[in-house]
Amino acid sequence: MKTLGNIIWFVFGGLFWAIESFLGGVICCITIIGIPVGLQLFKMAGFVLWPFGKKVTEQKVTGFKTVLNILWAIFGGIWSAIGYFLTGLIFCITIIGIPFGKQYFKMARFILTPLGYGFE
């Protein structure tokens, strides 16, 4: 079932959002201070591409990573999170799309503060 879910996910938005996360990572890696966020966005892009069957763990964030999360949330994360949230709302219009919409809602939280999560 997770393979079918990943294929449907890939076709109906997963590829688009993975590219968006990857490009955000590239832009963050251009600046030296943004490299930790950029690397986490690369991991997020891989997770967004095939999310079903993968695991997300919450990590403790302190110090410099907290500052980076705040900067990312202000300058890029809020817009990405809004996009994920709106995509989730679109999927929740149909009963079949509700599981996908719930995944998008979770990812909106992950993309807002990417340094607080580990993607496996």
Side-chain angles (χ1 to χ4, degrees):
M1 191 63 175
K2 74 177 180 180
T3 304
L4 180 61
N6 278 328
I7 291 169
I8 293 170
W9 178 272
F10 181 83
V11 171
F12 292 105
L15 180 62
F16 171 78
W17 286 109
I19 291 170
E20 186 267 342
S21 295
F22 181 79
L23 292 176
V26 169
I27 291 169
C28 285
C29 284
I30 290 172
T31 66
I32 293 175
I33 197 168
I35 290 174
V37 175
L39 295 176
Q40 195 68 4
L41 288 174
F42 292 145
K43 292 178 192 174
M44 178 78 177
F47 177 75
V48 170
L49 202 55
W50 306 104
F52 293 99
K54 292 189 178 178
K55 186 175 158 184
V56 178
T57 57
E58 196 164 343
Q59 299 172 341
K60 185 176 179 183
V61 178
T62 58
F64 183 64
K65 287 185 176 182
T66 302
V67 173
L68 284 178
N69 265 339
I70 292 169
L71 289 173
W72 167 253
I74 292 170
F75 293 111
I78 189 73
W79 303 112
S80 293
I82 289 170
Y84 277 97
F85 184 78
L86 292 175
T87 306
L89 284 177
I90 291 169
F91 270 95
C92 285
I93 291 173
T94 65
I95 293 174
I96 295 171
I98 289 174
F100 298 99
K102 289 172 69 176
Q103 280 291 102
Y104 276 110
F105 295 148
K106 283 191 254 180
M107 287 185 191
R109 188 181 75 214
F110 302 153
I111 198 73
L112 189 59
T113 56
L115 293 175
Y117 302 96
F119 303 100
E120 302 170 10

